Amino acid sequence: MRDEYEKFTQRDAQIVAIGLNTEAAFQQYWSKENIPFIGLPDPDHRVAVTYRQEVNLFKLGRMPLVCVIDKDGRIRYAHYGASMADIPENKALLNVIDQLTASSN
């Protein structure tokens, strides 16, 4: 998403990454990697529980979850991955965003 961030912003979409790190760890990583979108810490798994994201201690953390949420706060697309290798391509997410935009016009 970082490499194609501009394609998301051109569609008036915001990317928010939520992870289990502490606030300090998140700030350090975001600064070091120069990530252009928002990163929010969720070390207590509150957001993970809300969105039914699997926390798997045997795999040292959370299973990836990618959502597209519309302007009304409704989940319009959710992909629950089995590993970090199981994340949808940006093209799929951009297609969902384009479909939402077309249906609201």
Side-chain angles (χ1 to χ4, degrees):
M1 290 181 176
R2 174 179 42 193
D3 295 342
E4 295 185 312
Y5 179 66
E6 190 173 300
K7 290 181 181 182
F8 288 91
T9 59
Q10 288 170 348
R11 288 165 169 84
D12 198 27
Q14 294 292 319
I15 298 172
V16 179
I18 302 170
L20 54 90
N21 301 54
T22 64
E23 184 175 350
F26 239 105
Q27 288 178 348
Q28 180 181 8
Y29 182 77
W30 246 240
S31 294
K32 178 184 170 202
E33 296 297 325
N34 196 28
I35 297 174
F37 47 87
I38 299 167
L40 298 173
D42 184 33
D44 297 329
H45 308 294
R46 290 184 182 145
V47 175
V49 169
T50 299
Y51 288 93
R52 296 184 177 100
Q53 183 180 19
E54 180 185 350
V55 177
N56 187 326
L57 298 178
F58 294 110
K59 292 190 177 186
L60 302 175
R62 299 177 184 183
M63 297 299 94
L65 167 60
V66 177
C67 295
V68 174
I69 301 172
D70 69 15
K71 291 181 179 184
D72 295 323
R74 293 181 297 207
I75 297 173
R76 296 305 193 126
Y77 171 90
H79 175 84
Y80 293 86
S83 71
M84 290 308 290
D86 183 21
I87 296 176
E89 293 183 15
N90 291 340
K91 183 178 179 179
L93 302 173
L94 294 166
N95 185 41
V96 171
I97 293 166
D98 290 344
Q99 288 177 19
L100 288 172
T101 301
S103 69
S104 68
N105 291 333

